Amino acid sequence: MDLKKLIAALQASASNAPLLSTSTYVPPTSDAPDEDRDAARRMIAAFVHWLARGGHTGDAGSPTRKAVLDSILARPDQPEKVIEELGDHVYSTDVAPDQRDFATGYLAPFGEGNLGDDYFKLFVEATGGRTMRDARPTPAEYNRFSDMIDARERGFAQGARDWKKPLAVPNAPTPNLWTGGTQQEWLARFAGYADLLSTLPGALRARIDEYWSFVDAAPSFPHPDVASALVRTYLTIDDAGIQQSVERALRAFPPLVALEGILRNIVDLDASTESAPTVVDVFSDDLDTPILDQMAAAIEGSSREQIAAYTRALKRAQRDGSEHAEALLEALDR
């Protein structure tokens, strides 16, 4: 196949790719895939409702398919059924040509200001729900959601730079950020975030903002108790973004202080997580030899279980290319 034919084939393939698909929103490990699929159908129905209400359904597909798209207005209590009849997909040909650029931008599966983000904020977070399964918009709510999409589309058409400005969640709590206090106050309040990921969506964003404010403030308390509290994040909060923020904070501690916090928890980290090699590698690769020797002495002065767990983590980090782990292992051998 020559280059022009290859490009044409790729373009044809892209044009046939769904703009929306229920499969995007059904986790592969879902414990209730049918419920998740129906939840995704209700979300997709919100966009199809906007298409039909505004006369934006495309006419490049079959008349039968266009009739199904438009039927959503006459079947307000059957949003899942309409999307199922569409094969659980919305294609670019289902959208009027003058709205396809907007649809492509608005239906991106990730990021704020997109269909999924708007829908989740209004029908899960704002209602106190926990997952998309809890979102069951009424016909009146679909209409109000279409009004909101109209506003986004006008902004897009006018070239507004903020047409995808994230929605503010109605009645969302205001974050209670760390604004200063004593080390003991920091420790007491920080301990209250061990259950962070079980927070209902309506309050989750605020609590994450709060949590990050505590993590950012942690290096102002260079004490092993604070370092240990940070390290325990890896035991209680399985979220890569949050763990990376903790890693940055630990790196700002004096090395021996951070080490003490890690040593207190290394046995648990080694036994119940995959994070031990990451945690022992928070240190700079260019620590001076005297510091490395002091770290080695601290490790050797800890319990047999701590020494074994820390050494295992260092060796795993070394295999992953950690220069710090290699240097500290050499110090332990001296």
Side-chain angles (χ1 to χ4, degrees):
M1 181 181 290
D2 62 31
L3 182 59
K4 289 184 179 179
K5 290 181 179 179
L6 177 60
I7 292 173
L10 291 173
Q11 289 174 334
S13 175
S15 67
N16 291 328
L19 288 173
L20 275 174
S21 175
T22 58
S23 61
T24 303
Y25 302 94
V26 179
T29 58
S30 172
D31 60 353
D34 290 341
E35 291 183 32
D36 285 333
R37 191 170 293 106
D38 275 346
R41 287 168 176 161
R42 290 191 290 273
M43 184 193 72
I44 293 173
F47 183 75
V48 174
H49 184 277
W50 174 78
L51 287 177
R53 194 187 75 161
H56 303 313
T57 52
D59 55 10
S62 70
T64 300
R65 187 170 178 85
K66 178 174 171 57
V68 174
L69 287 161
D70 290 333
S71 75
I72 199 165
L73 299 178
R75 303 159 68 187
D77 299 323
Q78 297 181 305
E80 300 96 337
K81 187 65 175 176
V82 173
I83 304 306
E84 183 180 10
E85 290 174 8
L86 292 170
D88 283 335
H89 300 304
V90 172
Y91 295 94
S92 61
T93 51
D94 293 328
V95 182
D98 63 339
Q99 297 294 340
R100 287 177 189 167
D101 287 345
F102 165 71
T104 299
Y106 185 55
L107 301 181
F110 305 108
E112 293 190 308
N114 296 333
L115 172 68
D117 182 56
D118 287 344
Y119 184 91
F120 191 87
K121 285 178 176 175
L122 293 178
F123 297 126
V124 180
E125 290 190 37
T127 62
R130 186 175 292 277
T131 72
M132 290 273 283
R133 300 176 196 174
D134 299 320
R136 297 179 180 274
T138 65
E141 287 171 331
Y142 274 129
N143 271 317
R144 289 196 291 272
F145 196 80
S146 288
D147 291 341
M148 186 274 301
I149 299 179
D150 278 337
R152 289 212 184 276
E153 189 279 329
R154 285 194 298 271
F156 176 85
Q158 295 165 5
R161 301 179 69 176
D162 65 346
W163 75 272
K164 290 183 76 174
K165 180 180 179 180
L167 291 180
V169 180
N171 303 314
T174 301
N176 185 17
L177 305 177
W178 173 261
T179 57
T182 68
Q183 178 177 304
Q184 290 306 311
E185 289 170 337
W186 186 96
L187 287 167
R189 289 185 60 188
F190 190 74
Y193 291 92
D195 64 344
L196 181 63
L197 294 189
S198 65
T199 306
L200 286 173
L204 180 59
R205 295 172 196 266
R207 289 198 77 205
I208 287 177
D209 286 345
E210 293 171 3
Y211 187 86
W212 273 333
S213 76
F214 280 82
V215 172
D216 289 343
S220 64
F221 302 113
H223 190 278
D225 288 349
V226 176
S228 177
L230 287 173
V231 171
R232 292 196 67 78
T233 292
Y234 290 86
L235 295 167
T236 59
I237 302 178
D238 186 15
D239 179 272
I242 288 174
Q243 291 177 356
Q244 286 170 6
S245 69
V246 170
E247 184 179 340
R248 289 192 295 271
L250 286 170
R251 192 174 293 121
F253 276 64
L256 293 175
V257 173
L259 175 64
E260 174 61 26
I262 296 169
L263 278 170
R264 293 183 188 181
N265 299 284
I266 192 63
V267 174
D268 289 341
L269 289 170
D270 180 59
S272 60
T273 78
E274 294 296 320
S275 301
T278 299
V279 177
V280 301
D281 195 33
V282 300
F283 302 95
S284 171
D285 289 336
D286 57 359
L287 292 178
D288 294 336
T289 298
I291 294 294
L292 288 169
D293 287 341
Q294 291 177 58
M295 293 178 68
I299 294 170
E300 291 169 339
S302 61
S303 72
R304 181 182 304 174
E305 292 81 4
Q306 288 171 317
I307 295 171
Y310 208 105
T311 302
R312 279 193 296 271
L314 284 174
K315 289 180 177 178
R316 288 177 60 189
Q318 181 188 35
R319 288 196 295 270
D320 291 337
S322 167
E323 295 180 18
H324 164 72
E326 183 173 354
L328 186 52
L329 284 168
E330 289 178 358
L332 286 166
D333 287 338
R334 282 198 284 272

